[in-house]
Amino acid sequence: MDKKDWLEKEYLPSSLRKAKFTTISGEELDPLYTPEDIAGLDYQRDLGYPGCYPFTRGIHPTMYRGRLWTMRQFSGFGTAEDTNRRYKFLLERGQTGLSVAFDMPTIMGRDSDDPMSVGEVGRCGVAIDSLSDMEVLFSGIPLRDITTSMTINGPAAVLLAFYLCVGEKQGASFRELGGTIQNDILKEYIAQKSWIFPPRPSMRIITDILEFCTREVPRWNTISISGYHIREAGSTAVQELAFTLADGFAYVEAGIAAGLSVDDFAPRLSFFFNAHMDFFEEVAKFRAARRIWARHMRERYGAKDPRSCMLRFHTQTAGCSLTAQQPENNIVRTALEALSAVLGGTQSLHTNSMDETLALPTEKAVEIALRTQQVIAHESGVTEVLDPLAGSYLVEALTDRMEQEAEEYFRRIEEQGGVLSAIENGFFQREIADAAYRYQLEIERGERVVVGVNRYQHEDETLGIEILRIDPAVEKRQRERLAELRASRDASRAERALAELREAARGDANLMPPIIACARAYCTEGEIIGALREVFGEYRETVLF
Amino acid sequence: MKTGKRILIAKPGLDGHDRGAKVVARGLADAGFEVIYTGLHQMPEQIAEAAIQEDVDAVGLSILSGAHMTLFPRVMQLLREMGGENIMVFGGGIIPEEDAEELKRQGVAEIFTPGTHLSEIVCFLEKKL
């Protein structure tokens, strides 16, 4: 009997629960997978061994036997003091790396006293205006001993400069500091929409960072190429995979065009993916991502260093899968998503807290989220064997299919003249908006069940969980702090530093040294970005829905 | 089928999360409303002005950055000052229940949180407008 016989004789005559079976992304699934579905698979060519090209089975020869993933909860709110306390709480409870969430003004390069910042200061992340706030944020946390990830894009160069200066004040040299800036501006235009400058000057800043860090901060991950936000904006799994890797290739090409050799900077590129609810689709996505990256890096960009071909990634569970209704169910959703990330071979992981559809998480909620990772790591047994799902007919067939579909997207992007042109003509934005709307309609029609939302609701949905409240006085305190800073610093030194930065921006010198000089002179983030904005202008998106 | 009603969907403040705003805008348009979407990063002044100029029946604000307790009241105040007190304001986002209650006390017609069906918003607007 072969698959076709079985389908005809055994499967099709039986009655089924529903007409169509698909992944959460709408990919149709066969009822089962067999050796026939992976007949083309060549073990050495397509999978290989962990730590070996094409890295489908993982980037390290020991994976979680050598070292568990970094448990890195994204966190920040209120003032630098408030967040510093939360970091110490998380480190005491066994978290192994830091991840900074900034508030909207910081993300958009604006100071806390900017008119656009009213009501936003310290709300969805920590408010950072200058080096002085950054010193408080990491006070009592030795930066030499820990790695820090910072979710910052448009003003990434500025926050990196602040961080390097804090390290320096603690006695650590630039070379000793390790961490990540997100610095992925392409996905801002595509999905997250926290841009400042137009795409082309933004790409120049990024290549300046690549070049500077390659030389001076060799342990720094210079770009965390992010699919997370693309998925959260409503894309499918394949779109997340394809658009993210296409962005990655665009950065590689920008680095090469700036005169860097691919093996000098590619090993410091890392990735950031979403872990959504469809378990096997997600595992396949992570495995396909590694294989695609390895193949393109070696075959298309001529990378020789194996580290250039290794796709290292952070994962965050899907915020958009959480529900405001019956929020405790979110603990279970997050656990399943986290498990897919671990079985997909992630290097670090953030697990969302159950209350995040309502507000920033409470200590209690974030502790449960961290414990979820620890239970997976120490109790579930999944860490004992490397890439345990390899060889599953389903997982290998899905991994293949996702690679092929991603390649198809690369071709379509290429046809439009590359990523920047596709951004400018709204291609990504349209693809994502269409997928988001399709998904919403599937839920409305009841074709997709979300527990507690369109099935198994109960009348009394009162939450009964506590919510973190940000003190409204935070904004006032932060503004006062900023006023004091402006009054007490050496004003002419700050002015001079800003003038030199403007000058550098007009020419083609690397912008990192003048930005670091501004940071040391206690120029504020808004002033530094403001100086650059004068030269580079601001991006405006074509509005569509 | 056209309802003859005009709705402005707006993203005030610095927040860039526009999935909800765009899904709602498209859903309302499909349900027969005439929809105008402001795009991102709008000051309350720009939103109020657009609402008056476009002569809309309702303004839907989407805020996921936690700035709702400042930005909702500000837009409402500006609408009143500009003679748009009859324009209904509703909204959605990451908004805790307690805050939603307070905003409703201040005159916001309804707050829709994650998990809301488009059909609920459509029904609500058809009833209220």
Side-chain angles (χ1 to χ4, degrees):
Chain A
M1 192 188 281
D2 63 11
K3 185 169 169 181
K4 190 160 157 283
D5 295 335
W6 176 83
L7 280 170
E8 280 166 9
K9 289 194 196 109
E10 308 286 337
Y11 175 80
L12 289 172
S14 318
S15 71
L16 301 174
R17 206 155 44 74
K18 51 186 182 178
K20 212 168 123 188
F21 292 81
T22 66
T23 68
I24 203 169
S25 301
E27 298 274 344
E28 204 150 344
L29 291 166
D30 287 357
L32 97 166
Y33 289 80
T34 71
E36 293 169 46
D37 294 292
I38 55 167
L41 187 82
D42 177 323
Y43 184 82
Q44 297 295 346
R45 182 194 64 201
D46 299 324
L47 301 181
Y49 286 90
C52 302
Y53 186 89
F55 304 104
T56 313
R57 304 203 61 185
I59 59 164
H60 295 303
T62 56
M63 286 306 288
Y64 305 134
R65 282 192 168 203
R67 187 177 157 277
L68 291 168
W69 62 90
T70 304
M71 298 181 190
R72 198 188 288 282
Q73 295 295 94
F74 181 48
S75 166
F77 59 91
T79 61
E81 284 92 351
D82 298 328
T83 300
N84 178 260
R85 266 196 301 279
R86 176 65 69 93
Y87 289 169
K88 287 176 175 162
F89 169 89
L90 287 166
L91 291 169
E92 276 160 21
R93 272 160 187 72
Q95 174 165 286
T96 47
L98 291 176
S99 173
V100 187
F102 295 105
D103 68 357
M104 283 313 305
T106 309
I107 287 171
M108 296 297 289
R110 303 205 175 248
D111 286 336
S112 298
D113 57 1
D114 187 293
M116 277 299 281
S117 304
V118 176
E120 309 262 19
V121 177
R123 286 277 158 190
C124 69
V126 59
I128 299 294
D129 288 317
S130 73
L131 173 57
S132 161
D133 294 329
M134 206 75 158
E135 289 162 8
V136 175
L137 185 65
F138 294 108
S139 124
I141 301 172
L143 299 188
R144 191 189 276 129
D145 304 335
I146 197 155
T147 59
T148 302
S149 170
M150 293 191 280
T151 298
I152 194 76
N153 294 278
V158 180
L159 276 298
L160 171 60
F162 289 168
Y163 190 88
L164 295 176
C165 293
V166 174
E168 192 175 56
K169 291 195 167 224
Q170 289 184 358
S173 73
F174 288 4
R175 307 195 74 78
E176 290 174 295
L177 295 171
T180 304
I181 39 175
Q182 198 163 72
N183 196 28
D184 173 10
I185 202 68
L186 293 173
K187 68 93 175 51
E188 295 298 334
Y189 304 118
I190 292 173
Q192 175 78 351
K193 315 294 175 84
S194 300
W195 53 66
I196 301 174
F197 314 115
R200 289 165 211 274
S202 292
M203 290 301 276
R204 177 225 168 147
I205 300 175
I206 289 172
T207 48
D208 283 357
I209 294 171
L210 284 181
E211 202 216 343
F212 179 81
C213 288
T214 300
R215 214 174 49 227
E216 314 262 344
V217 203
R219 291 182 58 214
W220 204 267
N221 294 310
T222 45
I223 313 178
S224 168
I225 306 153
S226 305
Y228 186 80
H229 320 81
I230 293 173
R231 194 68 182 280
E232 289 290 299
S235 84
T236 65
V238 168
Q239 288 169 345
E240 177 195 356
L241 174 68
F243 298 172
T244 308
L245 290 175
D247 288 347
F249 302 143
Y251 292 123
V252 169
E253 287 165 21
I256 293 170
L260 298 170
S261 132
V262 65
D263 286 323
D264 282 345
F265 68 94
R268 299 316 298 174
L269 301 177
S270 64
F271 286 80
F272 172 23
F273 290 111
N274 196 297
H276 213 297
M277 278 307 290
D278 196 303
F279 188 80
F280 293 111
E281 184 174 51
E282 294 302 276
V283 173
K285 178 184 77 185
F286 302 129
R287 299 173 82 250
R290 276 193 296 270
R291 184 155 82 204
I292 297 170
W293 184 250
R295 286 181 169 163
H296 282 253
M297 289 307 286
R298 190 154 98 175
E299 289 160 23
R300 204 163 132 200
Y301 300 111
K304 302 269 185 298
D305 186 339
R307 292 175 313 146
S308 301
C309 301
M310 286 180 196
L311 180 143
R312 298 173 295 132
F313 70 104
H314 171 70
T315 309
Q316 179 169 340
T317 56
C320 63
S321 71
L322 305 186
T323 66
Q325 299 78 4
Q326 306 175 23
E328 286 96 336
N329 297 346
N330 293 331
I331 298 173
V332 182
R333 293 190 177 97
T334 297
L336 288 167
E337 293 167 348
L339 185 61
S340 76
V342 169
L343 291 173
T346 196
Q347 276 60 62
S348 67
L349 180 60
H350 166 103
T351 32
N352 288 326
S353 301
M354 62 170 157
D355 51 357
E356 293 191 59
T357 53
L358 305 161
L360 294 187
T362 60
E363 273 190 5
K364 170 89 183 157
V366 77
E367 183 166 345
I368 294 172
L370 177 60
R371 296 287 180 247
T372 303
Q373 296 197 36
Q374 291 162 340
V375 168
I376 292 172
H378 301 291
E379 297 184 28
S380 73
V382 301
T383 52
E384 309 302 281
V385 173
L386 286 67
D387 191 27
L389 292 182
S392 145
Y393 305 127
L394 166 65
V395 170
E396 296 302 354
L398 275 180
T399 303
D400 260 2
R401 179 155 102 187
M402 295 191 87
E403 181 178 15
Q404 284 162 22
E405 289 178 353
E407 290 291 345
E408 181 52 35
Y409 265 121
F410 300 151
R411 267 188 294 278
R412 287 175 64 188
I413 294 163
E414 209 54 50
E415 271 167 25
Q416 296 172 66
V419 169
L420 281 184
S421 310
I423 287 170
E424 283 159 358
N425 73 30
F427 170 73
F428 299 111
Q429 299 91 316
R430 259 193 319 276
E431 285 280 313
I432 295 169
D434 288 349
Y437 194 55
R438 214 162 44 229
Y439 179 74
Q440 182 64 30
L441 294 184
E442 285 168 6
I443 290 173
E444 308 246 334
R445 290 195 293 257
E447 292 164 12
R448 220 164 265 299
V449 175
V450 181
V451 172
V453 171
N454 62 357
R455 204 178 292 177
Y456 314 114
Q457 305 99 311
H458 50 67
E459 283 305 302
D460 180 19
E461 294 281 358
T462 10
L463 305 165
I465 61 168
E466 273 191 53
I467 297 291
L468 180 81
R469 318 249 15 145
I470 308 292
D471 183 355
V474 160
E475 190 156 320
K476 191 166 159 282
R477 270 210 305 278
Q478 187 62 21
R479 286 202 189 138
E480 286 164 2
R481 228 179 110 70
L482 185 54
E484 277 165 36
L485 175 95
R486 291 197 214 272
S488 63
R489 69 183 174 189
D490 177 345
S492 66
R493 183 182 170 202
E495 270 313 308
R496 237 180 5 259
L498 288 169
E500 276 161 27
L501 175 62
R502 260 184 229 106
E503 201 44 47
R506 285 195 196 97
D508 56 8
N510 191 305
L511 292 172
M512 277 311 292
I515 290 174
I516 290 170
C518 288
R520 285 187 183 128
Y522 290 91
C523 298
T524 66
E525 186 203 9
E527 291 164 348
I528 300 171
I529 293 297
L532 294 173
R533 202 189 277 114
E534 281 171 40
V535 180
F536 295 145
E538 233 173 341
Y539 181 67
R540 287 255 162 262
E541 181 187 49
T542 315
V543 175
L544 59 89
F545 67 83
Chain B
M1 190 195 65
K2 294 256 180 275
T3 65
K5 301 290 181 191
R6 288 162 71 81
I7 315 283
L8 180 75
I9 298 292
K11 285 287 302 175
L14 296 170
D15 176 31
H17 295 91
D18 60 0
R19 175 177 182 169
K22 286 160 87 163
V23 165
V24 169
R26 201 187 285 198
L28 295 181
D30 282 356
F33 291 93
E34 218 177 302
V35 180
I36 302 138
Y37 170 48
T38 60
L40 291 166
H41 310 144
Q42 300 292 301
M43 296 282 281
E45 287 77 6
Q46 295 170 300
I47 293 168
E49 273 164 31
I52 304 278
Q53 266 171 22
E54 297 283 351
D55 192 24
V56 297
D57 301 286
V59 176
L61 300 175
S62 162
I63 306 179
L64 289 84
S65 67
H68 47 272
M69 294 312 280
T70 308
L71 295 173
F72 271 94
R74 181 82 187 123
V75 170
M76 309 239 317
Q77 182 204 345
L78 288 161
L79 281 175
R80 278 194 300 274
E81 285 171 19
M82 295 166 143
E85 58 278 344
N86 294 325
I87 298 175
M88 188 177 86
V89 175
F90 67 105
I94 302 293
I95 299 174
E97 203 167 275
E98 224 179 287
D99 291 356
E101 289 309 317
E102 175 55 30
L103 290 172
K104 284 197 251 180
R105 261 194 299 279
Q106 296 181 21
V108 175
E110 190 56 83
I111 296 289
F112 299 99
T113 49
T116 304
H117 284 208
L118 288 170
S119 53
E120 274 174 68
I121 304 175
V122 169
C123 277
F124 172 82
L125 291 175
E126 280 172 347
K127 204 163 80 198
K128 289 278 177 170
L129 295 177

